[in-house]
């Protein structure tokens, strides 16, 4: 039986739908983060090798494409966990490399910094009345800078550029969290699978960037 209040009040119905998308997004995001942590830990303990740049890029973008393509059906959830599981697998060897290089001390602070940044950004996006849509242009500009810097550093191999890119990635990921969260609140993002993937990738990039910054800065004795 339909709720007469919902049928008479479109704004009330919209609010209910928004809350549902937000609730489903946070729930699925929590599940994927736990799943990734389990896979990453298993990968670390078993000492599995990193799949390499080509396989990583193909797996990352291929699974992301399949997730987005199936975001409106049940296979979207299957590909969501396949994607986040694959990312967890690639993260294990990276963490082992940091530990092997004597920079394992950076892992826990990077996790804490990632969690704190996500909570602060989410809280601000959920409570502010300010329109954050201006961030979309800044994020596009930031993406171009990151892409150019990444390509340039493939040839230059300068640690300072890598460190600068990590700093830009922290800002880029924080902006993506702010923009995505407010987009859910304001009804711009109505698919919780898409929202989850965006937030997950932002958290992943944020963690890796903080890990690199803390590892490099902490290693300068």
């Amino acid at each position: 039986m339909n709720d007469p209040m919902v049928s008479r009040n479109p704004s009330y119905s919209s609010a209910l739908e928004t809350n549902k998308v937000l609730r489903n997004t946070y729930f699925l995001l929590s599940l994927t983060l736990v799943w990734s942590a389990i896979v990453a830990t298993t990968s670390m303990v078993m000492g599995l090798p990193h799949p390499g740049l080509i396989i990583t890029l193909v797996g990352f973008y291929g699974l992301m494409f399949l997730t987005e393509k199936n975001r409106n059906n049940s296979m979207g959830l299957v590909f969501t966990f396949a994607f986040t599981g694959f990312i967890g697998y690639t993260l294990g060897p990276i963490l082992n490399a940091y530990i092997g290089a004597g920079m394992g001390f950076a892992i826990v602070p990077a996790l804490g910094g990632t969690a704190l940044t996500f909570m602060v950004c989410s809280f601000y996006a959920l409570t502010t009345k300010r329109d954050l849509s201006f961030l979309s242009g800044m994020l596009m500009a930031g993406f171009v800078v990151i892409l150019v810097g990444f390509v340039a550093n493939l040839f230059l191999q300068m640690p300072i550029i890598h460190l600068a890119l990590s700093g830009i990635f922290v800002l880029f990921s924080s902006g993506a969290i702010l923009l995505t969260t407010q987009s859910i609140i304001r009804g711009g993002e109505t698919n919780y699978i898409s929202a989850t993937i965006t937030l997950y990738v932002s958290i992943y990039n944020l963690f890796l960037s903080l890990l690199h910054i803390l590892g490099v800065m902490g290693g300068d004795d």
Side-chain angles (χ1 to χ4, degrees), residues 20 22 47 56 120 138 146 178 185 189 206 215:
K20 180 181 178 181
L22 186 65
T56 298
V120 170
M138 297 177 64
I146 290 171
L178 286 167
I185 292 299
E189 177 58 81
L206 181 60

Side-chain angles (χ1 to χ4, degrees), residues 120-144:
V120 170
C121 289
S122 297
F123 178 78
Y124 180 76
L126 290 169
T127 57
T128 186
K129 295 187 182 339
R130 185 179 183 185
D131 185 3
L132 301 177
S133 59
F134 70 93
L135 288 174
S136 59
M138 297 177 64
L139 290 178
M140 180 58 67
F143 176 77
V144 173

Side-chain angles (χ1 to χ4, degrees), residues 7-212:
S7 60
R8 290 197 307 266
N9 193 335
S11 62
Y12 181 76
S13 177
S14 177
L16 286 179
E17 184 61 30
T18 296
N19 289 335
K20 180 181 178 181
V21 174
L22 186 65
R23 183 174 62 253
N24 288 343
T25 297
Y26 280 0
F27 179 67
L28 182 58
L29 181 63
S30 299
L31 292 179
T32 56
L33 290 174
V34 171
W35 167 238
S36 286
I38 292 173
V39 176
T41 301
T42 303
S43 180
M44 289 178 67
V45 172
M46 296 181 64
L48 298 177
H50 194 276
L53 180 61
I54 301 300
I55 295 178
T56 298
L57 290 177
V58 171
F60 184 93
Y61 289 106
L63 288 171
M64 181 181 286
F65 170 78
L66 290 172
T67 302
E68 283 295 319
K69 186 176 178 61
N70 293 277
R71 64 181 183 170
N72 293 314
N73 59 64
S74 59
M75 286 303 296
L77 290 173
V78 174
F79 286 118
T80 295
F81 283 97
F83 172 74
T84 54
F86 177 76
I87 296 301
Y89 164 71
T90 62
L91 186 59
I94 294 175
L95 296 180
N96 276 339
Y98 272 85
I99 294 173
M103 295 190 292
F105 61 85
I107 295 176
V108 173
L111 282 171
T114 300
L116 180 61
T117 302
F118 176 75
M119 287 189 293
V120 170
C121 289
S122 297
F123 178 78
Y124 180 76
L126 290 169
T127 57
T128 186
K129 295 187 182 339
R130 185 179 183 185
D131 185 3
L132 301 177
S133 59
F134 70 93
L135 288 174
S136 59
M138 297 177 64
L139 290 178
M140 180 58 67
F143 176 77
V144 173
V145 172
I146 290 171
L147 183 61
V148 171
F150 176 78
V151 173
N153 207 37
L154 287 177
F155 301 96
L156 300 176
Q157 294 295 313
M158 295 176 63
I160 188 65
I161 295 181
H162 193 185
L163 188 62
L165 287 175
S166 294
I168 295 173
F169 247 123
V170 170
L171 297 176
F172 182 86
S173 300
S174 299
I177 292 170
L178 286 167
L179 188 61
T180 302
T181 304
Q182 189 176 81
S183 182
I184 297 173
I185 292 299
R186 299 196 171 189
E189 177 58 81
T190 59
N191 188 283
Y192 72 95
I193 291 180
S194 292
T196 297
I197 291 298
T198 301
L199 291 176
Y200 176 91
V201 171
S202 299
I203 291 171
Y204 172 76
N205 287 330
L206 181 60
F207 171 66
L208 284 187
S209 300
L210 288 176
L211 182 63
H212 180 249

